[in-house]
């Protein structure tokens, strides 16, 4: 069973053997807090309910408390391996602490040990106990849990902390530490101005330090506050101390320093920590992680913490801040060294650091051996039995820090580095790793405001948020940006934002000197091996937000595993960020500033022709995968036109792994493909741009990414025209025409399609002609020109059959079936839709088969064969939901609702059509929404819900007017008229007929 550490002297924090245990929800945290405030004692259900619901519990409170406790038990059992921590005992529950640790309990135990030592005349021992007790506090007790009962008990703990602090200060004054405590007491009195004992300690510390006037001023200020706040005079003890100071009473003099034993060697207590950062902000959870190092003090293994992260993320600031917070736990001193692991200068040698540390610990220079191994051994000997905190900043490697590690668990080491070192530290030490990421948004803005020193950021919250994002929320970049604002008080926030938004200027703006962002990135880049550095450059030059290792393999034209090794080296150097591997392939991304630097060095160091070749390779890899994904979705290389862009082949097993779910692959790569279309368009690589766009319409249409579709098609059309690529121009005109149909912009769609048709004819491209004729047939159908639509549909069908495009053939058969149905030729529609189903099944394509089956169902409904229509729709619904085809799902639900109406199962029909209407609205597809609304209105009218029916018909009429479907708009209006003319009864058959095509 693991040992659990419960911390309540600060925000609630639970860990099992150093691993965090996370509680979900405010109720669980409140209940756990209440039980921790009364360990090994029963807390009644009524008390817990009163705490959770702020004195107003609901009738179901007991059940809800039981559910919460059960969830807590499961969480703790999963973390600890035992289920007996939370015990049910009438009339409530008890936390059985056993061998587990609660910091509040340990605090009170240490405080009592301190008092016993003080009563026994051992002030130094008492100070050590009090110091250890006070160092356990990480902030206000149970910070963030606001229930009144918890706050009341937390206030008791806070009062106890203040009492212990005053006792501690009194003992330190007895020991003659008046100069050391003056600053600390001044801050304490400022925070707690009505505590007379602390004020007396401060007066005495001032007096013994030769600052008599300040001692008297402290009394006068305290007396004024007591008079103003409480209307009382200082107590007798404070008044008596005041009188003694006025009289220079000899008993106030400091005690004589005890003479050291004749045999004792001088014991030096180093205090080498750098000063705390004045504008330090946030990082509460990260500080709590480092606090776990303290749990391992006095253990068998040396506690070693590691803070890693990209340059400028604030590793040193965090480490120094934490070290100052916990310094009281290390009475034998704090050692610090900047190891210069990533500076322009050579890294500091361990032997030189050992020399400095040994001298700081009181070892005379002549006694320090020359050999590094002997120095390291002496260092461990000197530290034996001492409690020292060692902060090793900016370390380069484990080899650099290994000689500097003590051999005792009483000490603690904290390392900052860009190298995680986990492989070397885990297992041999009580290792606590912390990877430091960007600041949270609110912390970043708070840091900007502190450094800028005025209200400009608070007055422009949107500008402040944008500024923090442009700085990657990295403390170094944020401080530089805020310093720019501080130096330019006449600049509004938006002025600096506009300067940083220029990607060509951003690094310049954030690199005012040798300590800026560019300098830090260059130091990381400088130490990369040549192959790794080239991977960094070429990845930065690729316009993709995230990627897998196969993209790096294509960029460098190397083996996949070699590429993965190079990318992982960039992760270790904190220049890339790994993301979760939900699909079995780890993805990586740049932060914005490293990406800008990578592009900058790519332009500096790579030849233009090599950058162009790398872009072609990586675009060819994405295009090859997109084409294969399309083939797997459509059952073949159907409905697309490819150009001369050269593909970059990837291993077959990798392709199979990536495309296990082709549509999921498209979804994952959508933003990357859009970025590559933009990049290849800018580079005049037209064939890659338009082929990627054409092939990815599989995703754009199926998942309704119409803005991405339009952007890619327009960019690709521009580059095709600019480079004279007439095939690409025709393909993108066709693509924009298809998009126009889906967006109900029929006039614009017809214009694009006619231009595309002319170009395809000139190029002798029959597949392109067929695709355009099919889409012109769709436009004709939607606009009510059914005869012309039928003619063009048959022309496209002949071309598709001649070219062997079976998927498109099935699709056109379904379209012709719809046209025949709307012309009143139900039998012809049934024949055509049945043939479409047969063609689709032969291809093994889910989407195509679903479309054909729905067309068949519509034909069956026109024959009043509701039973077979329902069966067909149920099968189609399973297909579209499996493939994630939202538009297809809305179509299928609408036809299924009509089939159920045909079967007079009106309750089911209404529910399904209501679902169809909601699904169409989410796609969104206004025409589909109108069709579903008309059918739903018909069902409601037949059921006697005239108001609901009228609302559906009116909304549908408006939708049909919006998309330019006059025939269906006329039907919706006629249905409204029938509803008004219905009088005492409505004709269900007439309503059903009007709802059908």
């Amino acid at each position: 069973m693991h040992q659990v550490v419960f911390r309540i002297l600060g925000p609630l924090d639970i860990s099992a053997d150093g691993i965090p245990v996370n509680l979900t929800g405010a109720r669980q945290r409140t209940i756990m807090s209440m039980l921790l405030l009364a360990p090994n004692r029963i807390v009644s259900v009524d008390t817990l309910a009163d705490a959770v619901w702020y004195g107003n519990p609901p009738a179901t409170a007991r059940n809800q408390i039981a559910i919460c406790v059960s969830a807590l038990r499961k969480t703790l059992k999963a973390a600890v391996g035992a289920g007996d921590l939370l015990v049910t005992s009438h009339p409530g529950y008890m936390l059985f602490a056993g061998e587990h640790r609660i910091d509040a309990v340990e605090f009170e135990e240490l405080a009592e040990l301190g008092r016993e030592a003080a009563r026994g005349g051992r002030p130094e021992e008492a100070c050590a106990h009090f110091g250890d007790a006070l160092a356990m506090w990480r902030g206000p007790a149970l910070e963030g849990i606001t229930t009144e009962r918890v706050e009341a008990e937390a206030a008791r703990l806070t009062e106890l902390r203040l009492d212990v602090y005053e006792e501690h200060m009194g003992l330190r004054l007895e020991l003659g530490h008046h100069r050391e405590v003056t600053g600390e007491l001044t801050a304490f009195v400022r925070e707690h101005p009505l505590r007379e004992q602390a004020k007396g300690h401060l007066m005495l510390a001032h007096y013994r330090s030769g600052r008599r006037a300040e001692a008297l001023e402290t009394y006068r200020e305290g007396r004024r506050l007591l008079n103003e706040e409480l209307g009382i005079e200082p107590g007798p003890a404070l008044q008596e101390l005041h009188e003694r100071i006025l009289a220079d009473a000899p008993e106030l003099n400091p005690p004589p320093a005890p003479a050291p034993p004749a045999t004792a060697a001088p014991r030096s207590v180093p205090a080498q920590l750098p000063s705390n950062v004045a504008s330090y902000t946030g990082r509460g959870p990260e500080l709590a992680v480092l606090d776990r190092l303290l749990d391992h003090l006095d253990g068998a293994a040396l506690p070693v913490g590691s803070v890693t992260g990209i340059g400028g993320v604030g590793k040193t600031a965090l480490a120094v801040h934490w070290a100052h917070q916990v310094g009281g736990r290390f009475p034998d001193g704090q050692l610090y060294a900047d190891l210069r692991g990533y500076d322009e200068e050579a890294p500091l040698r361990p032997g030189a650091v050992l020399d400095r540390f040994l001298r700081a610990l009181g070892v005379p220079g002549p006694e320090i051996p020359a050999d590094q191994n002997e120095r390291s051994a002496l260092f461990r000997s000197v530290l034996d039995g001492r409690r020292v905190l060692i902060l090793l900043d900016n370390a380069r490697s484990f080899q650099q820090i290994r000689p500097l590690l003590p051999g005792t668990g009483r000490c603690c080491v904290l390392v900052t580095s860009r190298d995680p070192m986990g492989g070397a530290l885990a297992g041999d030490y009580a290792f606590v790793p912390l990877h430091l990421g960007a600041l949270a948004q609110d912390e970043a803005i708070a840091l900007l405001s502190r450094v800028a020193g005025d209200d400009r950021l608070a007055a422009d919250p949107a500008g402040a948020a944008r500024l923090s994002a442009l700085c990657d929320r990295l403390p170094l970049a944020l401080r530089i940006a805020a310093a720019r604002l501080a130096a330019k008080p006449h600049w509004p926030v938006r002025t600096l934002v506009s300067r940083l938004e220029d990607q060509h200027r951003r690094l310049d703006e954030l690199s005012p000197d040798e300590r800026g962002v560019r300098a830090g990135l260059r130091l990381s880049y400088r130490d990369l091996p040549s192959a790794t550095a080239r991977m960094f450059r070429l990845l930065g030059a690729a316009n993709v937000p995230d990627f897998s290792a196969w993209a790096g393999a294509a960029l460098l034209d190397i083996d996949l595993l070699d590429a993965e090794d190079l990318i992982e080296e960039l992760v270790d150097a904190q220049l890339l960020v790994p993301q979760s591997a939900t699909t079995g392939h780890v993805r990586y991304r740049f932060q914005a500033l490293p990406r800008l630097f990578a592009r900058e060095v790519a332009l500096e160091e790579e030849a233009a022709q090599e950058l162009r070749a790398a872009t072609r390779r990586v675009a060819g890899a994405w295009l090859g995968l997109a084409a294969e994904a399309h083939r797997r979705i459509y059952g073949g290389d159907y409905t697309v036109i490819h150009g001369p862009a050269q593909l970059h082949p990837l291993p077959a097993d990798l392709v199979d792994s990536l495309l296990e779910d082709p549509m999921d692959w498209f979804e994952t790569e959508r933003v990357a493909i859009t970025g590559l279309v933009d990049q290849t368009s800018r580079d005049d690589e037209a064939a890659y741009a338009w082929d990627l766009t054409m092939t990815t319409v599989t995703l754009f249409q199926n998942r309704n990414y119409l803005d991405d579709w339009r952007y890619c098609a327009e960019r690709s059309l521009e580059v095709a025209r600019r480079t004279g690529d007439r095939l690409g121009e025709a393909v993108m005109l066709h693509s924009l025409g298809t998009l126009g149909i889906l967006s109900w912009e029929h006039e614009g769609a017809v214009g694009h399609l006619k231009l595309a048709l002319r170009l395809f004819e000139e190029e002798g491209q029959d597949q392109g002609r067929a695709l355009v004729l099919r889409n012109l047939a769709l436009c004709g159908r939607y606009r009510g020109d059914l005869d012309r639509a039928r003619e063009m549909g048959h022309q496209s069908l002949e071309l598709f059959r001649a070219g062997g495009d079976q998927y498109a053939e099935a699709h056109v058969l379904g379209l012709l079936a719809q046209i025949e149905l709307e012309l009143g030729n139900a039998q012809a529609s049934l024949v055509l839709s049945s043939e479409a189903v047969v063609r689709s099944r032969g291809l093994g394509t889910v989407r195509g088969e679903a479309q054909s089956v729905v067309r068949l169902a519509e034909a069956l409904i026109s024959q009043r064969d509701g039973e077979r229509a329902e069966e067909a729709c149920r099968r189609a619904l399973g297909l579209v939901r499996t493939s994630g085809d939202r538009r297809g799902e809305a179509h299928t639900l609408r036809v299924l609702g009509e089939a159920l109406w045909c079967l007079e199962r009106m309750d089911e029909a209404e529910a399904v059509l209501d679902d169809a209407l909601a699904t169409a609205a989410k796609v969104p597809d206004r025409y589909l929404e109108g069709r579903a609304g008309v059918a739903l209105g018909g069902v409601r009218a037949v059921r006697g819900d005239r108001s609901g029916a009228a609302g559906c018909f009116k909304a549908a009429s408006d939708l049909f007017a919006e998309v330019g479907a006059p025939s269906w708009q006329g039907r919706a209006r006629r249905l409204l008229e029938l509803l008004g003319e219905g009088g005492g009864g409505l004709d269900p058959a007439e309503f059903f007929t009007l709802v059908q095509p």
Side-chain angles (χ1 to χ4, degrees):
M1 186 175 69
H2 304 290
Q3 184 182 61
V4 184
V5 178
F6 298 94
R7 295 183 181 84
I8 63 175
L9 302 181
L12 176 61
D13 180 84
I14 305 174
S15 62
D17 289 347
I19 299 172
V21 178
N22 296 316
L23 304 185
T24 58
R27 291 180 186 175
Q28 285 192 23
R29 295 176 66 80
T30 298
I31 291 172
M32 180 54 75
S33 299
M34 291 292 292
L35 295 173
L36 284 168
L37 288 167
N40 302 315
R41 301 200 304 272
I42 298 169
V43 182
S44 72
V45 174
D46 290 341
T47 300
L48 294 174
D50 186 66
V52 169
W53 283 283
Y54 299 89
N56 188 27
T60 59
R62 299 187 75 84
N63 285 337
Q64 292 192 52
I65 293 293
I67 291 169
C68 278
V69 172
S70 176
L72 282 169
R73 281 196 181 111
K74 289 179 181 177
T75 300
L76 292 170
K77 185 171 184 179
V80 183
D84 58 353
L85 262 171
L86 300 184
V87 179
T88 302
S89 182
H90 183 78
Y93 302 96
M94 177 180 73
L95 185 141
F96 178 67
E99 299 299 317
H100 304 296
R101 297 172 55 191
I102 302 172
D103 62 352
V105 172
E106 293 181 0
F107 168 75
E108 295 195 45
E109 290 173 351
L110 284 168
E112 186 53 38
L113 286 173
R115 290 181 179 124
E116 287 180 7
R119 288 192 294 269
R122 303 187 304 278
E124 290 186 352
E125 181 185 333
C127 275
H129 288 311
F130 284 146
D132 286 347
L134 292 167
M136 300 180 78
W137 285 76
R138 299 169 292 115
L142 290 167
E143 185 178 13
I145 298 175
T146 57
T147 180
E148 187 176 339
R149 282 185 175 269
V150 172
E151 287 179 336
E153 185 60 22
R156 182 193 72 82
L157 287 170
T158 298
E159 189 65 27
L160 181 56
R161 175 192 187 184
L162 299 179
D163 289 344
V164 170
Y165 180 84
E166 288 177 334
E167 291 176 63
H168 187 209
M169 289 299 103
L171 286 170
R172 293 191 67 183
L173 286 169
E174 283 184 26
L175 293 168
H177 298 168
H178 41 274
R179 295 186 187 277
E180 291 91 332
V181 303
T182 302
E184 196 176 334
L185 276 168
T186 300
F188 183 86
V189 168
R190 189 180 302 117
E191 187 177 354
H192 306 283
L194 301 180
R195 294 191 68 91
E196 293 191 29
Q197 188 173 20
K199 201 173 294 291
H201 289 334
L202 179 58
M203 290 167 61
L204 186 56
H206 277 317
Y207 181 79
R208 288 181 174 177
S209 300
R211 295 152 66 179
R212 184 169 179 268
E214 291 178 53
L216 294 171
E217 177 58 30
T218 298
Y219 177 80
R220 283 192 293 272
E221 177 62 18
R223 184 181 182 217
R224 182 188 64 78
L225 279 170
L226 288 168
N227 279 320
E228 290 179 358
E229 297 287 334
L230 304 176
I232 60 174
E233 289 290 324
L238 204 61
Q239 290 187 39
E240 182 180 350
L241 177 60
H242 177 240
E243 294 298 328
R244 288 184 175 184
I245 290 172
L246 286 172
D248 286 324
E251 60 266 26
L252 296 184
N253 292 331
T263 58
R267 186 174 176 120
S268 179
V269 179
Q272 296 185 341
L273 293 179
S275 61
N276 218 337
V277 178
S279 57
Y280 183 86
T281 303
R283 302 289 198 191
E286 290 86 350
L287 290 166
V289 170
L290 295 181
D291 282 342
R292 296 193 179 107
L293 286 166
L294 305 178
D295 298 339
H296 299 289
L297 287 176
D298 299 318
L302 172 69
V304 180
S306 167
V307 182
T308 58
I310 190 172
V313 79
K315 301 182 292 295
T316 298
L318 172 71
V320 169
H321 185 76
W322 180 80
H324 277 284
Q325 278 192 339
V326 302
R329 296 289 296 272
F330 300 92
D332 296 311
Q334 304 92 41
L335 296 169
Y336 170 85
D338 178 358
L339 302 181
R340 300 202 305 254
Y342 295 89
D343 287 3
E344 291 288 358
E345 306 173 50
L348 209 58
R349 291 180 297 102
V353 179
L354 286 167
D355 180 80
R356 287 166 42 187
F357 281 178
L358 288 168
R359 291 174 188 272
L361 290 166
V363 178
E367 296 181 15
I368 297 175
D371 180 76
Q372 178 178 294
N373 292 331
E374 292 181 11
R375 286 184 182 183
S376 186
L378 178 59
F379 181 61
R380 293 192 296 272
S381 298
V382 170
L383 288 179
D384 186 44
R386 297 194 191 185
R387 180 159 286 173
V388 175
L389 174 63
I390 303 169
L391 176 50
L392 302 175
D393 193 18
N394 201 19
R396 187 72 180 86
S397 64
F398 176 69
Q399 287 69 30
Q400 188 185 23
I401 69 166
R402 185 175 186 176
L404 309 175
L405 300 179
T408 170
R410 289 181 61 80
C411 293
C412 177
V413 178
L414 181 59
V415 184
T416 75
S417 178
R418 299 181 197 182
D419 181 350
M421 300 187 202
L425 289 168
D428 292 336
Y429 302 92
F431 181 47
V432 177
L434 172 63
H435 179 77
L436 203 57
L439 288 171
Q441 178 79 308
D442 57 341
E443 293 177 342
I445 293 173
L447 178 57
L448 285 167
S449 299
R450 286 187 181 183
V451 178
D454 55 33
D455 298 329
R456 278 175 289 176
L457 290 145
D460 185 2
R466 181 60 182 151
L467 182 58
S468 74
L470 289 167
C471 294
D472 278 353
R473 302 199 308 276
L474 291 177
L476 174 62
L478 292 165
R479 290 178 190 280
I480 291 171
R484 296 290 306 278
L485 286 176
K488 300 286 185 181
H490 53 286
W491 276 10
V493 175
R494 296 301 173 106
T495 297
L496 184 55
V497 166
S498 66
R499 296 170 76 94
L500 293 182
E501 282 182 331
D502 182 347
Q503 293 192 7
H504 299 291
R505 296 182 56 93
R506 193 181 310 168
L507 284 175
D508 292 334
E509 296 287 339
L510 296 175
S511 304
D513 54 35
E514 68 280 359
R515 295 172 299 168
V517 171
R518 181 185 282 114
L521 290 168
R522 192 169 292 282
L523 288 172
S524 292
Y525 174 71
R526 177 199 65 184
D527 292 324
L528 295 176
S530 59
T532 312
R534 188 160 187 261
M535 177 68 81
F536 175 69
R537 295 193 297 270
L538 294 183
L539 284 171
N543 189 29
V544 292
D546 54 71
F547 46 85
S548 291
W550 58 262
L555 279 167
L556 270 67
D557 196 14
I558 59 176
D559 178 77
L560 175 65
L561 291 179
D562 291 338
E564 190 174 86
D565 288 344
L566 296 178
I567 288 172
E568 285 294 335
E569 286 181 26
L570 293 173
V571 171
D572 292 342
Q574 312 300 324
L575 291 171
L576 280 181
V577 180
Q579 297 179 286
S580 59
T582 54
T583 62
H585 294 272
V586 180
R587 295 187 72 81
Y588 305 88
R589 67 174 177 85
F590 279 101
Q591 292 175 280
L593 296 173
R595 179 187 294 282
L596 289 175
F597 179 74
R599 289 178 181 171
E600 190 176 273
V601 293
L603 292 173
E604 290 174 0
E605 301 180 27
E606 293 286 339
Q609 63 269 25
E610 182 48 43
L611 283 177
R612 179 67 64 91
T615 299
R616 287 176 181 153
R617 287 194 298 270
V618 79
W622 252 287
L623 178 56
L625 285 167
E628 180 59 26
H630 174 92
R631 281 190 286 272
R632 296 186 185 203
I633 292 167
Y634 280 79
D637 204 9
Y638 302 132
T639 74
V640 291
I641 300 170
H642 293 303
Q646 185 174 353
L647 306 183
H648 184 84
L650 296 172
D653 57 341
L654 172 62
V655 173
D656 287 338
S657 174
L658 290 168
L659 301 183
E660 185 175 348
D661 186 325
M663 191 57 72
D664 276 359
W665 179 85
F666 265 125
E667 187 78 60
T668 300
E669 304 295 345
R670 174 177 64 90
V671 181
I673 290 172
T674 303
L676 277 173
V677 168
D678 177 70
Q679 183 173 4
T680 51
S681 297
R682 282 188 281 105
D683 291 347
D684 284 346
E685 298 285 355
Y688 288 101
W690 67 255
D691 205 339
L692 273 168
T693 300
M694 179 69 172
T695 309
T696 310
V697 167
T698 307
L699 171 73
F700 294 153
Q701 182 172 354
N702 198 11
R703 297 288 173 87
N704 214 52
Y705 293 119
L706 303 189
D707 289 340
D708 287 343
W709 184 352
R710 187 178 305 280
Y711 177 80
C712 288
E714 289 178 347
R715 295 286 285 126
S716 299
L717 179 60
E718 289 172 11
V719 67
R721 284 174 167 166
R722 188 168 64 246
T723 59
D725 186 339
R726 292 172 64 80
L727 177 60
E729 181 180 356
V731 171
M732 288 300 94
L733 285 167
H734 153 72
S735 188
L736 286 167
T738 309
L739 176 58
I741 293 171
L742 283 174
S743 305
W744 298 96
E745 301 163 356
H746 290 134
E747 292 300 323
V750 170
H752 283 124
L753 291 170
K754 286 181 176 178
L755 286 172
L757 185 61
R758 178 174 59 79
L759 286 168
F760 280 133
E761 288 171 346
E762 292 174 2
E763 294 292 310
Q765 230 290 345
D766 286 346
Q767 174 75 353
R769 288 175 58 217
L771 290 169
V772 172
L773 286 167
R774 180 195 66 179
N775 283 352
L776 286 170
L778 275 170
C779 287
R781 174 183 166 245
Y782 286 133
R783 299 166 80 185
D785 189 355
L786 297 178
D787 291 329
R788 179 65 175 152
R790 179 165 58 183
E791 178 187 348
M792 286 186 290
H794 279 289
Q795 290 178 30
S796 70
L797 182 61
E798 290 174 12
L799 289 167
F800 284 134
R801 282 176 170 165
D805 192 335
Q806 299 173 53
Y807 185 95
E809 179 186 351
H811 185 268
V812 174
L813 285 167
L815 170 60
L816 288 169
Q818 281 191 310
I819 293 171
E820 294 294 351
L821 193 62
E822 291 170 15
L823 284 168
N825 303 323
Q827 187 57 37
S829 175
L830 192 60
V831 171
L832 287 165
S833 56
S834 297
E835 187 180 355
V837 170
V838 172
R839 291 283 185 275
S840 300
R841 284 181 182 166
L843 296 172
T845 165
V846 171
R847 188 166 184 262
E849 182 181 350
Q851 288 175 337
S852 299
V853 170
V854 171
R855 302 287 179 261
L856 176 62
E858 288 185 303
L860 291 167
I861 290 170
S862 72
Q863 300 287 304
R864 298 300 190 269
D865 190 347
E867 188 172 339
R868 288 175 62 200
E870 181 193 1
E871 180 185 349
C873 286
R874 298 286 184 193
R875 187 165 76 252
L877 194 59
L879 292 171
V880 294
R881 283 178 170 165
T882 299
S883 64
D885 183 356
R886 298 164 191 155
R887 191 183 304 275
E889 183 178 356
H891 270 294
T892 308
L893 287 168
R894 190 262 305 169
V895 179
L896 175 59
E898 293 173 6
L900 293 167
W901 181 3
C902 182
L903 292 168
E904 298 184 359
R905 286 153 58 184
M906 306 307 284
D907 286 349
E908 293 176 71
E910 183 173 9
V912 169
L913 288 168
D914 195 42
D915 194 7
L917 185 66
T919 304
K922 290 175 184 175
V923 170
D925 188 318
R926 299 291 180 250
Y927 177 79
L928 257 177
E929 200 176 340
R931 288 290 305 273
V934 162
L936 181 60
V939 169
R940 287 177 174 168
V942 171
R943 302 191 73 190
D945 181 3
R946 290 173 179 267
S947 174
C952 287
F953 295 147
K954 176 64 172 63
S957 176
D958 293 342
L959 288 166
F960 290 134
E962 181 183 335
V963 301
S967 62
W968 276 101
Q969 185 184 6
R971 286 178 189 237
R973 287 177 175 170
R974 178 59 185 148
L975 286 163
L976 270 172
E977 292 170 4
L978 281 174
L979 197 64
E981 296 168 1
L986 299 171
D987 182 359
E990 186 171 5
F991 270 86
F992 188 79
T993 301
L994 277 171
V995 166
Q996 299 307 303

